[in-house]
Structure formats: structure tokens, C-alpha cells
Amino acid sequence: MANNNKNIAKKSTNHPARSAGSKSGVKSPKVFSIIVCVELLCSILFSLFSIHFAADISVVAFPLAAVYTAILVFFVFFKMLKPLNGKMVPVAVKLIEYLPYVFLLSFILRRAGKNGTPYWLDVVCVVLWCIIFVISLILSNRMNDKHSAALTKDWKVAAPKRKKRRGIALVLFELVDWVNAIVQAVFMVLLIQIFIVQLYVIPSESMVPTFLVKDRVAVTKFNCGPKFPLTDIGLPCFTKYKRGDIVVVRNPHYTIDRQSEVKTVTSQLVYMLTFMSVNLNRDENGELKADPLVKRIAGVEGEQLVMQDGVLYSRTKDSPQFKAVEKDNTYAAWNLKAKIPNGAQMYPLEPPHGPGYAKMIEFEQSRRNFDLETAKIQTQDLVKRFRKLVYKHNLVSNMNNFVPYVETLFNDVYKSTSRIMNANEGDEWFERFMTSWFETADQKRDIYTEANFKVNVMAKIYFGNLVVRTAELIRGKVSEDAIAKDETIMKYENLSDLLRWYITILDQRNMPVFPPNDFNGNPQYIPENCYFMMGDNRFNSYDMRHGDIAVLTSVSEEDYLSILYYSIIEPQYVDQKLILGKPVFRFWPRGRVGKIK
């Protein structure tokens, strides 16, 4: 009977964690062993799937994963689990804690090469990583100081009790413990920012008055389809976006390819590991990238848009007439001074940046009232008067290289007038320039094209009056200084100053039909799962209305001798996959803390 008891006692020592069931959460030594072995097996498989032979950064992934896995297997299986040596628990638990982070780095490196990876391989690696991550959390909890004694109670060698340290040993231990905690916290925060929630600092005034510069907001990501770095694998998007939603979105003005994505992910890692002191997310000029952006959804799938005089219009297949989007007016900020008189750094319409909101409204009203038939009569009269004023020198100089750029056109009218008067067939050029819009005057146009057509004709009328009056005074031997003080000249200079300024804000105030009609004039619409976005501060927002490069463009495409200006208008919609999250809560500054509406 005694011998039987001894045999039972001996058998019990061969089963780790037999008595730790209720305390550690591991029901049996067999379950614990299986969990550890699954972790090790997944680690080996993950390492094997990291093999790559390309001569780029991706080749580093396998050695990193393989070496760490070899160390893990050696200490966890051969030094701890197989001999049931509790002294190896502290080493094993640290290796297991860092395993997901090392493999995440390996995962990124494997996909950072020029060739990328197949979709099926991404899926397999993501599944393996998720299993490893979950098991590492379980094992880290069950093998920590609190549970290790119960876990290894029946092992051949129990886990050592935590020693009381004093002096230098205590200082070094605490220092190492703090470093360990900080590093793990950095990686955990990185994971949280990728998949759950991210803190974001508002960098510019494009969303004033909704957000001011340096507002700090929390952005939810888990419901917006977050993806593993450099892959299309991740959580599905549970959010159905609608007009008016504020979103954080990748900046489509930057190239979004594999190389740029690698740089973005690397900058995030470095930014976190250096405790936000080093930001590598810069463009080719060394400037910090405006990426991501915070914008508001203004157009949704199935819509065609146009914006004129600050009013956004939309239509759909079921409603073919453009109608004003009333909701857009509730958050679009045009008269910023009236909405937030002391909360912004720049008020684009106010002096010295512009003549003011009232002047802009006044000009737009005058343009709407501008009558093209009357303008045609005025133009013909100006051409007739100018024919009598040109010199008949038959000079070789001509007007072929004259560029009607709006800034230079009105910059030195005296010089331009003298050139036209003395140029070979200058009167014929003046007639062509002034009347080139006649043949398309009666065409049917959308609201945006009609407005720009009128702006172009108004500019020509102002320029024509300035040229003809200046030519009359030159013929009358009036000095250049006296010409500048002439009442008619001053009148049209004031009108042209306001018009020139308005042309500079065309791309902020208005937007052509978007998506544009096809070649046959049929409407096109924003595709499924795509959105059009703008900033609330419309005059100070570089958003989806705009392109990267300013291009010398005709004010009116229907006039072959149109007034020209530098335009950045290039509307684009954004695919849902570029949306990173939704700002839900402002936590700074204290006076503006609250839920984002």
C-alpha cells in the first residue's frame, strides 16, 4: 500500500501544473503543454513563410524570425518544458512576450521588398500571427510572477520566488524593468493605433471652425476596416459613411505605392520607438508630409457634383437635375470672420489677403447680372474705336507671343496698349482677342461653365476699355502719369483688381462638374465605396478639389483666346480603403473637450 502511494506521488511529479487548474486557468499539464507547443509550431511555420531570396530588405525577414524562433524553442521547450525546469520561466515569459512584436517586424520586412507577397501568403501569415499574439497573451499571464509558483508547483524544479533586491541590484532591476515596460508599451500602443484607436493632432486650418490647429482628437479605427501593414488583410469595414461625416484619410495627392507605404510604416515605427522625437514621414524636399488628412465627406457614391458661388449641387441617376445640397451649408465656412472672429490664424478674405466677404458677394452678383448681349455690343464698339487709334507703321513685331495671363494682362496696361498700337496688324489681333467668345456665346452651359464664361468676358471688357481709353490718351499726347489718374482708367482698374482677385480664388470658391460627363455628354457618378471630401474652411483647404501642380489654364474652355490663370483644380474621389478612421472625441484643449459632432 505504501509502495502504491509512492508510485502515485512519483507520477504526479511528472505532470506540470497539475494543481494549478483553478488558480492559473490551465486545466491540466497536458493543456499547458499543448498551448506552448502550438505557439512554438506556429512560430516555426511563420519563420518558414518569411523565407525570401530577393536582393532587398525583405531578405532580412527570415533570419530575424528564424533566429528568434530558435532561441524561443531552445529556452521554452528544451530548457523549460521538457525538463520541467521552473527556473527558466522568467526567461521563457520574456521571450514569449516579445514574440508577436519581433514577428510583426519580420512581417513588415518581408513585405517591404520590391516584389511584395502573394495574397494567400499574407492571409496565412496574418492568421499565424494572430494565433501567436493571442497565445502569447495567455501564456504571459499564466507564467508571470503571480501564477508561476502555482504553475510549477509539481515540476521537478519550481519557479524561484522573487528575490528582494537592495542597493545597485535593485536600481538595475528597476531600470531594466522600466525599459522592458516602456518598449512593450510602445509596441502595444502601435498595435492599438493600427487597429483600434489613434490620437491625432490637427496640423492645419483646413477644418476651421470645426477644428483649430493643435486640437487633439481620438480617432476610432476598428470599425473602419484597419489593415495589417503593407497588406490588404485586416478587419472588414463596419461603417457606412454618409455626407457630413468627418474622416481621417490618406492623402491621395501623394503617391501611394509599395515604396511609399514602406516609408510610412517605417516612419510610424521610428516615431513610436523614439517616443515621438523623430518623424521620418517627409517628402522629397524634406518637408513633413500632410498625411493623413482630416476632411469632411461632401459627396457620396452615385452622385455627380458641381459647386458655384460656394453652393454645392448634386444629382443622381434618379434625380437628373442639379439641386443645392442644403446640408453642406451647415458646415462650409466661407465668411470665416463671422463664424469664428478670433479663433483662426488666417482669414483669407480679409485684408491684406483679400477685399472682404462683402466685396466677393458683390462681384458674384454683378457677374450673375452680366448680360452677354450687351457685352457683345460693347465689344464691337471697343473694336471699332481701337481701329482708329492704332499706328500704321507696319512694324515687324506682332502679338503672336502675347500670353493673356490675368496677372500680367492688367499689370501694365500702358505698356500692353503701346505694344498693340505699334504691332504689325495690332488692330486685327485686338479684334480677334476681344470677339473670340462670340461664336460660343449662345451655347447651353452648366452653372459652373456659364459663370466662368461670364468672368472671361468681363475680364475682356475691362481690358478692352482700359486699352482703348489708354490709346485715346496716348494719341492725345497725355503723359503716362496723367493717364494713370484718368477717371475712366481708375474706374476700370478698380473693377479689374476685384476681378483679378476673384479669379485667384476660383478654385477655392467653385468646382466644375465632377465626375465630368463622358465624351458624349452623359453624366458620370462617384463609384461605389468612393467619396468626395472637402475641408470646412473652404478658402484655406487643400482638399479633393485640387491637384498637385498649378497649370496655366483657360478661365473659359469655350474661348480659344480665353484669359488664362494658374489653376490647381483637379477633383478626385477617394476610395473607402484610404479612410483610416473617424474622429470621435476632442480631448484637448480643455475648453473644447467633447464629442465630435
Side-chain angles (χ1 to χ4, degrees):
M1 189 72 178
N3 289 334
N4 290 338
N5 290 337
K6 287 180 180 180
N7 291 333
I8 293 172
K10 284 181 179 180
K11 289 180 180 179
S12 65
T13 60
N14 292 328
H15 297 281
R18 178 181 293 277
S19 61
S22 60
K23 294 181 179 180
S24 68
V26 179
K27 296 182 179 180
S28 72
K30 186 177 180 180
V31 172
F32 176 79
S33 299
I34 290 173
I35 292 175
V36 172
C37 290
V38 169
E39 181 83 332
L40 298 179
L41 179 60
C42 289
S43 301
I44 293 170
L45 290 174
F46 188 96
S47 300
L48 292 175
F49 281 120
S50 299
I51 295 176
H52 196 49
F53 300 104
D56 54 35
I57 189 66
S58 60
V59 77
V60 179
F62 174 67
L64 175 63
V67 169
Y68 197 89
T69 299
I71 295 172
L72 181 75
V73 172
F74 178 76
F75 281 100
V76 175
F77 185 78
F78 290 103
K79 289 294 185 179
M80 183 193 74
L81 189 62
K82 188 175 180 181
L84 298 176
N85 185 0
K87 287 185 177 181
M88 287 293 106
V89 169
V91 177
V93 75
K94 290 303 174 187
L95 289 171
I96 290 172
E97 284 176 353
Y98 280 96
L99 181 62
Y101 310 132
V102 173
F103 278 5
L104 179 63
L105 181 58
S106 174
F107 181 90
I108 293 170
L109 289 171
R110 176 65 179 81
R111 283 143 189 82
K114 295 179 181 179
N115 300 324
T117 53
Y119 183 82
W120 69 266
L121 183 58
D122 287 341
V123 172
V124 171
C125 289
V126 166
V127 171
L128 287 173
W129 187 90
C130 290
I131 294 171
I132 290 167
F133 179 68
V134 171
I135 293 178
S136 69
L137 292 178
I138 295 171
L139 293 178
S140 296
N141 177 263
R142 300 313 173 195
M143 295 167 65
N144 62 20
D145 290 341
K146 183 178 179 181
H147 297 121
S148 61
L151 178 66
T152 63
K153 180 180 178 182
D154 296 324
W155 286 17
K156 290 181 179 179
V157 180
K161 294 182 179 180
R162 188 168 182 175
K163 296 180 180 178
K164 291 184 179 180
R165 296 173 177 84
R166 295 184 177 85
I168 295 177
L170 177 61
V171 173
L172 291 174
F173 177 81
E174 291 295 335
L175 180 62
V176 171
D177 198 44
W178 270 102
V179 171
N180 168 66
I182 291 173
V183 171
Q184 289 202 50
V186 166
F187 278 104
M188 187 57 70
V189 168
L190 181 64
L191 290 176
I192 291 172
Q193 287 198 143
I194 292 174
F195 296 107
I196 302 176
V197 66
Q198 184 172 4
L199 305 183
Y200 187 78
V201 181
I202 303 299
S204 70
E205 293 201 312
S206 67
M207 285 295 290
V208 173
T210 305
F211 294 125
L212 302 183
V213 174
K214 295 187 178 180
D215 277 3
R216 285 165 167 76
V217 297
V219 178
T220 59
K221 303 183 75 173
F222 65 90
N223 57 337
C224 298
K227 302 292 186 284
F228 273 78
L230 307 179
T231 75
D232 292 325
I233 311 300
L235 298 176
C237 181
F238 299 105
T239 299
K240 185 65 176 178
Y241 301 102
K242 59 184 184 298
R243 193 193 323 274
D245 285 349
I246 302 175
V247 295
V248 175
V249 61
R250 292 296 307 275
N251 190 342
H253 297 111
Y254 294 117
T255 301
I256 302 178
D257 55 16
R258 176 163 296 279
Q259 185 178 2
S260 65
E261 288 298 272
V262 170
K263 189 173 181 180
T264 298
V265 172
T266 302
S267 67
Q268 288 178 331
L269 284 171
V270 173
Y271 190 62
M272 293 299 301
L273 290 173
T274 58
F275 306 107
M276 294 175 287
S277 61
V278 178
N279 191 339
L280 301 178
N281 193 26
R282 298 176 181 272
D283 59 21
E284 59 274 10
N285 299 317
E287 300 292 330
L288 285 175
K289 283 187 175 182
D291 186 30
L293 301 172
V294 178
K295 300 299 175 187
R296 193 187 293 271
I297 293 177
V300 297
E301 56 188 57
E303 287 187 322
Q304 187 179 47
L305 308 170
V306 66
M307 188 163 66
Q308 184 59 47
D309 296 346
V311 178
L312 182 68
Y313 299 86
S314 73
R315 68 178 175 182
T316 64
K317 292 179 180 179
D318 298 328
S319 182
Q321 298 300 317
F322 277 112
K323 296 180 181 179
V325 181
E326 298 297 335
K327 188 175 182 180
D328 188 70
N329 291 328
T330 62
Y331 40 73
W334 297 107
N335 188 7
L336 200 61
K337 199 71 176 179
K339 280 201 169 188
I340 182 166
N342 299 310
Q345 298 174 7
M346 180 179 179
Y347 295 89
L349 293 187
E350 302 305 315
H353 308 292
Y357 182 78
K359 283 288 185 183
M360 180 191 70
I361 297 299
E362 179 184 330
F363 174 81
E364 290 177 342
Q365 186 59 50
S366 67
R367 186 212 66 231
R368 286 191 288 270
N369 295 335
F370 188 76
D371 182 65
L372 291 176
E373 288 300 321
T374 302
K376 186 180 290 187
I377 296 172
Q378 292 175 348
T379 299
Q380 292 168 335
D381 179 62
L382 289 170
V383 169
K384 182 179 179 180
R385 288 164 58 189
F386 191 72
R387 284 201 194 100
K388 300 175 183 179
L389 298 171
V390 296
Y391 296 110
K392 301 297 182 180
H393 296 318
N394 293 321
L395 299 179
V396 177
S397 63
N398 55 54
M399 300 298 293
N400 290 339
N401 61 347
F402 188 86
V403 178
Y405 171 46
V406 64
E407 290 297 328
T408 57
L409 190 68
F410 293 99
N411 190 43
D412 193 340
V413 175
Y414 181 88
K415 183 178 179 180
S416 297
T417 302
S418 297
R419 178 180 177 181
I420 301 170
M421 291 176 70
N422 287 281
N424 184 30
E425 299 178 343
D427 56 339
E428 294 183 11
W429 177 90
F430 184 76
E431 181 177 4
R432 286 197 306 274
F433 177 72
M434 291 297 296
T435 63
S436 57
W437 58 274
F438 281 12
E439 57 189 75
T440 56
D442 297 329
Q443 288 187 3
K444 186 178 180 180
R445 290 175 284 267
D446 60 72
I447 186 172
Y448 174 88
T449 309
E450 176 71 12
N452 278 18
F453 190 86
K454 286 187 175 182
V455 168
N456 177 61
V457 175
M458 291 172 74
K460 290 193 172 189
I461 293 290
Y462 295 167
F463 179 73
N465 274 283
L466 284 168
V467 168
V468 171
R469 181 56 180 164
T470 300
E472 289 174 343
L473 295 174
I474 289 175
R475 282 291 204 172
K477 308 298 183 182
V478 179
S479 68
E480 186 175 350
D481 290 340
I483 290 176
K485 297 177 182 178
D486 179 77
E487 288 187 4
T488 301
I489 296 292
M490 293 176 65
K491 170 188 173 183
Y492 281 101
E493 280 186 342
N494 289 334
L495 290 171
S496 65
D497 284 345
L498 182 58
L499 178 139
R500 277 192 298 171
W501 171 81
Y502 189 81
I503 289 177
T504 65
I505 66 167
L506 276 178
D507 296 353
Q508 280 72 39
R509 183 67 169 165
N510 312 300
M511 184 183 72
V513 171
F514 175 76
N517 296 336
D518 65 14
F519 183 77
N520 296 317
N522 299 315
Q524 302 298 299
Y525 304 97
I526 298 174
E528 186 178 2
N529 293 325
C530 292
Y531 303 90
F532 177 75
M533 304 166 191
M534 292 187 284
D536 288 354
N537 186 3
R538 298 287 162 84
F539 280 121
N540 199 13
S541 176
Y542 178 61
D543 51 43
M544 305 313 144
R545 295 169 291 174
H546 309 128
D548 290 323
I549 302 173
V551 178
L552 197 60
T553 305
S554 299
V555 171
S556 175
E557 297 292 344
E558 297 180 335
D559 181 359
Y560 71 94
L561 286 177
S562 170
I563 304 294
L564 305 176
Y565 78 113
Y566 278 98
S567 172
I568 58 172
I569 200 72
E570 191 180 343
Q572 58 186 309
Y573 45 75
V574 177
D575 194 287
Q576 179 177 293
K577 66 182 181 181
L578 295 183
I579 298 177
L580 302 179
K582 293 180 65 175
V584 293
F585 189 81
R586 182 191 292 107
F587 60 91
W588 188 265
R590 287 179 294 179
R592 290 165 52 80
V593 170
K595 184 179 179 182
I596 307 296
K597 296 183 180 180

